[in-house]
Amino acid sequence: MAMEITQFLLAAQSADAKVRTEAEANLRQFQEQNLPVFLLSLSVELANNDKPVESRRLAGIVLKNSLDAKDVIRKEQLVQQWMATDISVKSQIKDLLLRTLGSSVPEARHTSAQVIAKIASIEIPQKEWPELIGSLLNYMTQQDRPAALKQATLETLGYVCEEISHQDLVQEEVNAVLTAVVQGMNLAEHGPEVRLAATKALYNALEFAQTNFENEMERNYIMKVVCDTAMSKEVEIRQAAFECLVAIASAYYEVLEPYMQTLFQLTSNAVKGDEETVALQAIEFWSSICDEEIELQEFESPESGDSGPPHSRFIEKALSSLVPLLLETLLKQEEDQDQDDTIWNISMAGGTCLGLVARTVGDDIVPLVMPFVESNILKPDWRCREAATYAFGSILEGPTVEKLSPLVQAGLDFLLAAMKDGNNHVKDTTAWTLSRIFELLHSPASGFSVISPENLKRVVGVLLESLKDAPNVAEKACGAIYYLVQGYEDAGPSSSLLSPCLTDIISCLIATADRTDGGDSKLRSSAYETLNEVVRCSNIAETSPIIAQLLPVIMDKLGQTVEIQIVSSDDREKQGDLQASLCGVLQVIIQKLSSTDDTKPIILQAADQIMILFLKVFGCRSSTVHEEAMLAIGALAYATGPQFEKYMPEFSKYLQMGLQNFEEYQVCGITVGVVGDICRALDDKVLPYCDGIMGLLLKDLASSELHRSVKPPIFSCFGDIALAIGEHFEKYVPYALPMMQGAAEICAQMETADEEMMDYGNQLRRSIFEAYSGILQGFKSVKPDVMVPYAQHLLKFIELVSRDRQRDESVTKAAVAVMGDLADALGSNIKLLFKDCAFYDDFLGECLQSDDEQLKETAGWTQGMIGRVMV
Amino acid sequence: MAPHDLRRPFKRAAITDQQKRRELSLLRQAQNRREAQQQARCLASSILSLQSPVPESEPEQSDIELENASETEQESGALSKDLDVRRASKLRGPEARNWFARQLMLPEWMIDVPDRLSQDWYVFARPAGKRCFVVSSNGTTVSRQRNGSILHHFPSALPAGAKTRDGSGSAQSYCILDCIFHELDQTYYVIDIVCWNGYSLYDCTAEFRFYWLNSKLEESAYTGVMPYVKDGLLFYNKHAHYQTGNTPLVLVWKDEDCSQYVIDTDSKGEIPSQQQVVLELQDDRKLVTSDEPPVLFGCLDGDIIEKSGLHSGNLLRFAISDGGLSFVDGKLEKADLNYLGKANRARAFADTYSKVLFQFMVRHSPLKIDDLLASINSPDDQENNSSDIEMLLNAPSRVTTV
């Protein structure tokens, strides 16, 4: 087998898909037949210096993927699988990996370092690999070891520190690890290779170093070494050291005070004179400080000023030196930087930082920036004019409206005129600045805008003219129109101001979308997305005829896309993008027109043709469904209600296709949402389609392939289906309910330390409750007894959730509601259950005291329902 | 750690509408789901749990103004937003009345004879009296008028309608009946059924619902002697679900022979010389009915609006003058209206189109029982049938008091 695995690993990277698939199947078969031997073979392959580097690298990656996965559930399976592996196999693998760190092949060393860290993440918290740290430290302290081994060891230490918590080791070990890393940065002892690895390792170990950063002496030492390293003569090492400083700014903001003088000097020198990669990190340092202070200010409330972490006001203190430093960077634009979206350079980083500084200090930045704006805005050099405009645009968020509005009002005419500047960059930045102005200082809905009603016509005129400018300028003009119209959303009488301009805006945006010089399709999609906002924000009462006229125009365009000749996969992609944009517009129009009774008939009359178009769009692809078309169909189902039934025979296959799309999980998620729309539209008429839908939803839930974000919506969807078909849900109960119970148990065990997991846990709980609510209400009047056996489990779950202090408000609402549903639907059947549990009174009490009216009402209703049962 | 991964490049296009579309869709779906579930959270229990209303400043007396002495079907027209059941339990006075009015199915007035009258429609004589919901649950029966006020509390023979010795009758067993309370013999006549013994019949056709009512084809609704005072005939389309609010699938028809209240009377109980209508004034001076969508009757003079200090939303009373109503292709083209003044404050809605038309026809060329019978005998209908020319006739059952 050992010989064969090399062949499989090489073949699995073949350019020939057939060879590749076959090799993957062979590997999988090997893995399934004998996992321990498979893992061991991989580590042997990785360790063997006689093997080709390609097979060694893939061996390492497969090994790593056998230990870790992104999906939490899958990851847990892999961890269990590793822990269950024979101990002698495991120790052989670990020995081989440690040995590989000394390999002469850099790729093998690097891959091995990654795998070691993954095993460490499983075993160290369990105290199952106590000798690892000792072995690694040994490699570092023995004088005669080659630099390559030390480099790989440092890399490993960094990865291990990233994976584990300092609490998994005793403090002496933590200290020894950090000492080894920091000593690796020492100029006198090591060559550049080792110092670079050490600096990167420190970066990974910063969080791990928490206790050491709390100790002033150790902190001083680490900071000194990092600052020294930031002045190394090798640019890569300087960059790595600055990356450490950026991370330290975020992680250890509260202890930075004593070092700020030094850090300002270091970063200031780097911004002014160092290589761009280093200068970018130096600017990033200040951006990170801003992030910290903005966050502190957001949490700072005047009433409870004492308890929070200290605000050191570094930006305020450095302001008078920092702002000129950043303004200088704005003059270092690159030619053509506006043509390429991937460019990130010093002037962009500087402008971004300036914007953050403005948000941090507010009004104080204005007098420091305005002289720069005024002295540069009229200069003949385009760089000066662009930098001046960029500076102005950057400080529009943060300072007060009172401070800004006179400046903006005085400058607006100038900016509008500058849309005719001779330089493309200047126009680009001017249009962007206008969009910022509209985003931040134009809110007729709340009664304030820098645009007077008299001025609006001119503003619109200039922007529409700019839609004909170069693609990058036109795209920014779209952005400006987007925010301009957004101001009129729900703006009451003010929204009428926009109505007279609407026809022109719409026709210009369509003309822009039709341009053929937009390069990639970015300008076109910007134009359509702006059109969406225009439709959304228009005053429906005044503009419904205009929107109604737009409908056939967009339908026509969508019809044309179906006719496009498809030769290459590139054509196919372009067709898909265009259809996405047009379906998006249709969705927005459908939603807008179906929102009032007066205009809804327009959609109802066109529904057949719209649906035919969507089906044609689906027909353009063989195995996937079009996400935007699906989204739009949800809106159509909502608008048409029961009438949607006639589309189901044709549409249901695409619905099923969407539900099977594991890879594009967002498509799957959207389809799940559309199932809900259809249930509400068709009610019990959805019944004939339910077997197919439920089968796929259950499969989706069971799949480890499907992205976890789709799973909560599936539970909510169970509720939608049950509510629609009532008693007919009974046949799904034996499948759906165990899934719901299983998910409830996962919720109970879920780790709550991780913020992302906490969010997910909240979503999952809410959706489980929604599923129960729908099912209980669906069975209520006909077959409530079906749910009696599940009542206790549900009640226990509600109890568990009610005791969780971190639960989200939406979870609370769903929990209280489902408790009422339980009582409402099952009535005296569950009298005993309620009698036996004490928690619900406290929980209801808590909810009844809430400030949230909706929650209070729900709790009141639930109280009534339970009261009815208990009498 | 590349900074451009972390920071949204400041000056790059900010428009990412797709995510917004997704989020708005999710928001809409979540809201719809919440509404659907709340609606399901059941009429039955909330009707029961409603607090006794505040002593009503209720329109009962003054409301008679232009309506029949019997409780005419009030139009539910342009009501404000959806209120959910739970919120409704806190409503008082006019709001409670609006909400309850919305829970009942309200007939339109018959202004022409529907096709297939004999095959697709049930008919029965409407008892004169108060329209109300009768709800039995948890061993008691409560009747509530459309204004939310409790009419009576009593034990009944309905499932869960009375305390039983064995204490049986689970909480999910309850009934909701749509009834008319006939003052004279203190009897509830069931005209429709919403829930029976815990089974929701909302989404069942009238045909199915009436099966529960034990329908009997006994006597002619029109001529027959009923144990109650009649107030016109109610026609139910067999296929109609129980739908709240106005519906053309239930029709009411009257003439002098089967109702004491054919032509609207004024507040003194006298028939005015000219037909009076109540219309709603809109923003643009238009005068409309309470139908969905509203039917336009005309425009009000700007002068009158100014002089009388009228606002949009006001309900105004008009007399139909000699010009009457004129029609083109069956649609109202012109109404000769004469402004009388504001409608009684207790009025919540304008008249419906079908009501105005029915009243107009009653005064000029009424739809007669012969027209109805003629339709039944028309060739169209005959080809289908048989000797059974009689419509499916139906007498309301009574709620038996224990």
Side-chain angles (χ1 to χ4, degrees):
Chain A
M1 206 46 158
M3 274 310 289
E4 283 166 27
I5 201 165
T6 310
Q7 297 315 314
F8 294 157
L9 289 166
L10 291 175
Q13 302 172 69
S14 162
D16 184 338
K18 194 167 160 282
V19 176
R20 212 164 54 226
T21 320
E22 199 179 318
E24 282 164 1
N26 284 326
L27 286 172
R28 205 162 27 246
Q29 195 187 2
F30 186 5
Q31 181 176 21
E32 280 159 12
Q33 273 168 0
N34 194 337
L35 182 75
V37 177
F38 177 68
L39 297 177
L40 189 59
S41 309
L42 291 171
S43 56
V44 170
E45 184 79 13
L46 178 60
N48 190 340
N49 278 331
D50 300 332
K51 295 287 183 183
V53 62
E54 291 81 12
S55 70
R56 297 178 72 184
R57 188 187 53 214
L58 187 58
I61 291 170
V62 174
L63 194 54
K64 192 179 72 163
N65 292 344
S66 310
L67 295 160
D68 191 18
K70 278 205 184 107
D71 182 82
V72 194
I73 297 162
R74 170 92 185 126
K75 180 176 178 160
E76 187 53 32
Q77 285 170 350
L78 294 173
V79 167
Q80 294 304 328
Q81 183 182 288
W82 174 258
M83 297 212 299
T85 304
D86 184 78
I87 194 153
S88 66
V89 174
K90 283 193 287 193
S91 72
Q92 280 186 69
I93 293 174
K94 290 188 280 189
D95 281 349
L96 286 162
L97 289 168
L98 282 171
R99 234 192 286 157
T100 312
L101 291 181
S103 164
S104 55
V105 180
E107 281 212 276
R109 296 201 300 269
H110 171 70
T111 313
S112 193
Q114 289 178 312
V115 181
I116 291 172
K118 292 300 173 195
I119 298 178
S121 78
I122 300 172
E123 296 201 340
I124 291 200
Q126 312 282 335
K127 315 282 177 220
E128 283 185 357
W129 198 0
E131 65 279 14
L132 170 68
I133 300 295
S135 311
L136 292 173
L137 291 176
N138 250 338
Y139 287 165
M140 289 310 295
T141 45
Q142 289 169 6
Q143 289 299 320
D144 53 337
R145 296 292 184 160
L149 173 63
K150 292 192 172 172
Q151 175 260 330
T153 305
L154 284 165
E155 192 180 4
T156 312
L157 282 170
Y159 291 153
V160 171
C161 292
E162 206 183 3
E163 291 281 349
I164 66 173
S165 155
H166 63 95
Q167 284 155 340
D168 293 329
L169 299 177
V170 292
Q171 191 59 42
E172 290 80 57
E173 278 180 307
V174 174
N175 297 343
V177 167
L178 281 170
T179 306
V181 171
V182 175
Q183 276 176 0
M185 294 165 76
N186 189 313
L187 183 62
E189 287 174 45
H190 301 287
E193 217 177 34
V194 172
R195 281 189 290 126
L196 180 60
T199 312
K200 287 182 171 171
L202 180 65
Y203 175 87
N204 287 326
L206 280 172
E207 211 170 313
F208 180 81
Q210 197 184 316
T211 37
N212 309 80
F213 261 89
E214 281 162 15
N215 178 310
E216 192 187 341
M217 244 172 56
E218 293 181 47
R219 183 171 69 230
N220 285 342
Y221 179 63
I222 297 171
M223 288 302 289
K224 182 180 180 315
V225 175
V226 178
C227 289
D228 288 348
T229 312
M231 291 183 292
S232 303
K233 70 176 200 299
E234 298 85 357
V235 59
E236 248 192 297
I237 299 180
R238 287 204 302 278
Q239 184 188 339
F242 270 103
E243 283 173 12
C244 286
L245 288 175
V246 170
I248 290 169
S250 301
Y252 300 110
Y253 169 87
E254 65 280 2
V255 294
L256 282 188
E257 177 85 66
Y259 317 108
M260 282 312 276
Q261 196 61 40
T262 314
L263 290 171
F264 183 81
Q265 275 314 318
L266 261 180
T267 50
S268 166
N269 291 340
V271 172
K272 282 180 191 149
D274 210 327
E275 299 283 331
E276 188 168 47
T277 54
V278 182
L280 284 173
Q281 291 302 326
I283 295 174
E284 186 62 25
F285 172 83
W286 288 102
S287 292
S288 298
I289 297 282
C290 289
D291 286 342
E292 291 305 311
E293 298 197 340
I294 289 168
E295 195 173 338
L296 284 172
Q297 281 156 210
E298 274 169 8
F299 281 101
E300 208 171 58
S301 57
E303 310 94 64
S304 64
D306 50 352
S307 59
H311 189 320
S312 305
R313 314 212 172 271
F314 293 139
I315 298 295
E316 201 179 294
K317 289 172 195 161
L319 197 64
S320 59
S321 326
L322 184 59
V323 171
L325 182 71
L326 294 171
L327 289 172
E328 281 309 303
T329 67
L330 301 187
L331 292 159
K332 299 182 183 172
Q333 307 95 326
E334 289 172 286
E335 295 279 358
D336 294 338
Q337 66 176 17
D338 292 320
Q339 311 297 334
D340 181 354
D341 260 3
T342 59
I343 288 180
W344 178 253
N345 61 31
I346 192 156
S347 70
M348 291 176 145
T352 304
C353 189
L354 192 64
L356 289 167
V357 172
R359 286 176 55 202
T360 313
V361 301
D363 286 357
D364 290 351
I365 200 168
V366 177
L368 293 169
V369 170
M370 285 315 288
F372 178 85
V373 175
E374 283 152 11
S375 67
N376 282 291
I377 196 89
L378 289 168
K379 283 191 181 159
D381 182 357
W382 72 264
R383 287 174 190 279
C384 298
R385 299 198 303 278
E386 197 277 341
T389 315
Y390 192 18
F392 188 61
S394 297
I395 61 165
L396 291 171
E397 189 180 4
T400 55
V401 171
E402 291 72 33
K403 188 87 180 174
L404 288 174
S405 60
L407 294 171
V408 171
Q409 256 146 359
L412 191 61
D413 273 351
F414 182 90
L415 288 169
L416 291 173
M419 287 310 297
K420 291 268 172 246
D421 194 286
N423 180 274
N424 175 293
H425 294 293
V426 174
K427 287 188 284 188
D428 186 292
T429 303
T430 304
W432 169 79
T433 301
L434 286 170
S435 77
R436 296 259 297 167
I437 289 173
F438 302 151
E439 182 185 358
L440 299 161
L441 296 161
H442 163 64
S443 174
S446 54
F448 171 78
S449 172
V450 290
I451 304 170
S452 62
E454 300 72 44
N455 219 346
L456 179 62
K457 217 171 161 168
R458 167 148 191 252
V459 172
V460 170
V462 168
L463 292 175
L464 295 187
E465 197 54 36
S466 294
L467 288 179
K468 298 174 193 147
D469 209 316
N472 64 309
V473 177
E475 202 192 318
K476 294 287 196 305
C478 284
I481 295 170
Y482 189 96
Y483 286 112
L484 179 69
V485 300
Q486 193 170 75
Y488 296 102
E489 186 168 23
D490 304 323
S494 310
S495 69
S496 298
L497 294 172
L498 195 63
S499 301
C501 311
L502 210 65
T503 310
D504 282 349
I505 295 177
I506 289 176
S507 61
C508 288
L509 283 172
I510 290 195
T512 307
D514 286 342
R515 280 173 63 162
T516 49
D517 61 344
D520 51 11
S521 56
K522 255 182 60 207
L523 175 57
R524 192 174 64 201
S525 75
S526 293
Y528 281 130
E529 307 227 303
T530 303
L531 184 57
N532 290 340
E533 194 67 2
V534 171
V535 172
R536 237 183 245 130
C537 302
S538 63
N539 179 324
I540 183 84
E542 293 168 358
T543 61
S544 60
I546 302 172
I547 313 277
Q549 277 168 21
L550 180 61
L551 178 62
V553 174
I554 300 296
M555 285 169 64
D556 202 38
K557 284 182 175 294
L558 186 56
Q560 287 165 21
T561 66
V562 179
E563 313 297 328
I564 296 175
Q565 275 257 308
I566 304 295
V567 185
S568 63
S569 63
D570 197 36
D571 291 344
R572 167 92 46 221
E573 196 181 323
K574 276 192 183 140
Q575 182 194 40
D577 287 349
L578 181 52
Q579 289 172 339
S581 289
L582 291 166
C583 288
V585 182
L586 277 182
Q587 186 209 341
V588 174
I589 295 176
I590 291 168
Q591 247 161 335
K592 187 75 180 183
L593 290 180
S594 58
S595 68
T596 78
D597 289 341
D598 287 344
T599 49
K600 198 170 179 170
I602 302 170
I603 295 300
L604 298 183
Q605 276 156 26
D608 286 357
Q609 288 150 293
I610 296 176
M611 196 62 199
I612 288 169
L613 276 173
F614 289 152
L615 291 171
K616 279 187 184 163
V617 170
F618 283 133
C620 290
R621 300 191 188 175
S622 53
S623 59
T624 57
V625 296
H626 200 289
E627 175 181 355
E628 287 284 350
M630 191 56 88
L631 211 51
I633 282 177
L636 189 67
Y638 171 64
T640 58
Q643 217 195 94
F644 194 84
E645 189 190 359
K646 61 182 171 187
Y647 310 128
M648 282 304 285
E650 191 59 24
F651 174 58
S652 66
K653 69 174 170 197
Y654 298 111
L655 201 61
Q656 302 203 355
M657 218 184 255
L659 293 177
Q660 287 167 296
N661 196 340
F662 289 171
E663 274 154 41
E664 295 168 277
Y665 69 90
Q666 283 183 311
V667 175
C668 189
I670 282 164
T671 312
V672 171
V674 171
V675 171
D677 281 328
I678 288 172
C679 287
R680 285 181 289 273
L682 300 193
D683 239 348
D684 56 348
K685 305 261 178 6
V686 78
L687 187 59
Y689 305 96
C690 284
D691 281 356
I693 291 171
M694 278 301 292
L696 292 173
L697 289 177
L698 289 165
K699 243 186 229 166
D700 284 348
L701 273 183
S703 161
S704 58
E705 237 178 292
L706 182 62
H707 193 274
R708 67 172 194 215
S709 68
V710 184
K711 297 190 177 180
I714 292 177
F715 285 115
S716 307
C717 190
F718 282 174
D720 299 339
I721 293 172
L723 201 55
I725 64 173
E727 59 183 312
H728 301 291
F729 196 81
E730 187 175 1
K731 62 177 164 178
Y732 308 127
V733 165
Y735 307 99
L737 266 292
M739 291 275 196
M740 287 156 60
Q741 293 181 337
E745 267 144 38
I746 289 177
C747 287
Q749 292 157 11
M750 213 173 258
E751 211 180 309
T752 50
D754 181 351
E755 204 169 312
E756 203 183 320
M757 276 318 277
M758 216 169 71
D759 272 358
Y760 182 66
N762 278 326
Q763 276 178 39
L764 197 54
R765 292 187 234 180
R766 191 182 59 224
S767 63
I768 295 168
F769 289 141
E770 284 173 347
Y772 275 112
S773 284
I775 296 171
L776 285 165
Q777 290 296 347
F779 280 130
K780 175 174 66 179
S781 42
V782 248
K783 273 192 175 169
D785 294 350
V786 175
M787 288 302 288
V788 171
Y790 302 97
Q792 185 167 19
H793 194 279
L794 170 58
L795 207 56
K796 281 262 177 291
F797 182 43
I798 300 172
E799 174 168 10
L800 191 90
V801 170
S802 78
R803 298 201 191 289
D804 175 11
R805 297 274 138 230
Q806 288 181 306
R807 86 185 105 82
D808 191 72
E809 179 111 319
S810 67
V811 174
T812 308
K813 278 182 196 166
V816 162
V818 78
M819 201 156 74
D821 292 330
L822 196 60
D824 184 17
L826 303 191
S828 55
N829 284 319
I830 53 152
K831 196 171 177 172
L832 281 177
L833 277 183
F834 272 109
K835 229 177 213 157
D836 286 347
C837 70
F839 82 92
Y840 74 85
D841 253 348
D842 293 344
F843 186 36
L844 281 175
E846 179 201 317
C847 298
L848 288 167
Q849 312 241 309
S850 162
D851 294 333
D852 185 320
E853 280 303 315
Q854 214 185 9
L855 176 58
K856 260 202 301 214
E857 281 166 25
T858 310
W861 175 79
T862 295
Q863 196 176 37
M865 286 295 116
I866 296 177
R868 225 176 47 143
V869 172
M870 300 308 282
V871 287
Chain B
M1 219 184 60
H4 45 277
D5 287 342
L6 295 175
R7 302 205 176 281
R8 181 171 73 79
F10 200 38
K11 222 197 86 176
R12 298 262 156 75
I15 321 169
T16 48
D17 197 64
Q18 188 187 35
Q19 194 50 33
K20 185 168 181 174
R21 280 197 298 283
R22 279 196 199 121
E23 280 161 14
L24 288 175
S25 285
L26 286 176
L27 216 63
R28 174 181 59 72
Q29 284 163 349
Q31 197 181 335
N32 293 346
R33 172 176 300 126
R34 204 170 52 235
E35 280 166 13
Q37 294 195 345
Q38 285 190 2
Q39 201 178 337
R41 272 170 203 141
C42 119
L43 202 50
S45 51
S46 44
I47 285 189
L48 273 181
S49 64
L50 282 186
Q51 306 298 311
S52 309
V54 218
E56 350 162 355
S57 57
E58 252 296 326
E60 220 67 271
Q61 292 309 311
S62 48
D63 204 21
I64 297 173
E65 186 194 20
L66 268 181
E67 300 182 14
N68 303 318
S70 74
E71 211 196 336
T72 322
E73 310 316 327
Q74 184 69 280
E75 295 74 18
S76 79
L79 271 170
S80 57
K81 283 188 255 161
D82 274 5
L83 287 164
D84 69 59
V85 172
R86 276 162 284 155
R87 221 178 274 160
S89 65
K90 293 192 178 139
L91 297 178
R92 297 289 179 270
E95 278 175 308
R97 171 194 162 92
N98 282 350
W99 190 81
F100 270 88
R102 293 198 51 196
Q103 305 309 309
L104 289 166
M105 178 154 71
L106 304 175
E108 288 194 5
W109 291 71
M110 189 188 288
I111 46 184
D112 54 33
V113 184
D115 293 335
R116 296 171 57 81
L117 186 64
S118 64
Q119 285 106 349
D120 284 351
W121 296 75
Y122 289 108
V123 61
F124 59 78
R126 184 196 187 282
K130 288 181 177 133
R131 182 90 179 271
C132 57
F133 270 136
V134 171
V135 181
S136 73
S137 174
N138 262 349
T140 186
T141 305
V142 177
S143 60
R144 285 185 179 275
Q145 299 181 66
R146 285 190 351 226
N147 58 28
S149 63
I150 292 181
L151 199 57
H152 298 112
H153 249 299
F154 59 100
S156 75
L158 293 169
K163 294 253 186 289
T164 49
R165 241 167 298 147
D166 57 6
S168 71
S170 64
Q172 67 264 28
S173 129
Y174 57 84
C175 297
I176 306 175
L177 308 175
D178 186 352
C179 297
I180 290 170
F181 180 66
H182 189 249
E183 200 83 49
L184 217 59
D185 59 356
Q186 295 283 301
T187 301
Y188 288 96
Y189 288 93
V190 183
I191 60 168
D192 205 336
I193 182 158
V194 182
C195 281
W196 182 260
N197 204 6
Y199 289 73
S200 168
L201 300 172
Y202 258 101
D203 286 340
C204 302
T205 59
E207 189 168 26
F208 186 74
R209 294 199 308 277
F210 286 9
Y211 164 79
W212 291 91
L213 281 177
N214 244 337
S215 58
K216 290 176 229 148
L217 306 174
E218 289 178 336
E219 347 178 36
S220 159
Y222 183 66
T223 55
V225 179
M226 293 293 164
Y228 49 80
V229 180
K230 282 189 279 190
D231 180 20
L233 300 180
L234 275 174
F235 293 82
Y236 275 72
N237 186 294
K238 282 196 210 171
H239 308 296
H241 288 195
Y242 196 96
Q243 173 193 337
T244 56
N246 284 320
T247 172
L249 297 178
V250 180
L251 299 170
V252 59
W253 175 88
K254 303 176 175 185
D255 70 8
E256 309 290 351
D257 287 325
C258 69
S259 171
Q260 304 167 31
Y261 322 100
V262 179
I263 300 185
D264 281 343
T265 52
D266 63 18
S267 50
K268 297 177 205 94
E270 285 163 14
I271 295 177
S273 60
Q274 291 183 317
Q275 181 186 348
Q276 298 189 3
V277 296
V278 173
L279 297 168
E280 185 181 332
L281 179 65
Q282 291 197 319
D283 275 339
D284 41 13
R285 300 193 288 122
K286 285 181 180 155
L287 297 165
V288 296
T289 63
S290 65
D291 298 274
E292 270 313 334
V295 178
L296 178 67
F297 265 68
C299 278
L300 190 59
D301 226 333
D303 281 1
I304 299 180
I305 295 179
E306 233 178 280
K307 266 187 225 147
S308 320
L310 303 176
H311 304 289
S312 81
N314 281 160
L315 299 179
L316 308 178
R317 202 150 44 91
F318 295 88
I320 297 181
S321 304
D322 300 332
L325 305 175
S326 23
F327 300 87
V328 172
D329 291 333
K331 280 190 179 156
L332 178 71
E333 198 212 30
K334 205 168 137 265
D336 185 5
L337 298 176
N338 186 13
Y339 177 65
L340 297 177
K342 288 194 191 178
N344 187 296
R345 272 184 33 220
R347 278 294 290 256
F349 314 105
D351 287 332
T352 60
Y353 179 71
S354 68
K355 179 183 172 181
V356 174
L357 230 63
F358 187 88
Q359 287 292 324
F360 184 73
M361 286 161 68
V362 162
R363 286 168 178 258
H364 298 91
S365 57
L367 191 64
K368 299 199 178 84
I369 187 70
D370 292 342
D371 299 326
L372 270 65
L373 293 172
S375 145
I376 294 168
N377 293 317
S378 74
D380 253 2
D381 284 279
Q382 260 180 358
E383 65 180 36
N384 253 326
N385 228 338
S386 93
S387 59
D388 185 16
I389 300 174
E390 247 190 22
M391 289 175 264
L392 296 160
L393 291 177
N394 204 343
S397 317
R398 299 195 289 182
V399 174
T400 317
T401 309
V402 187

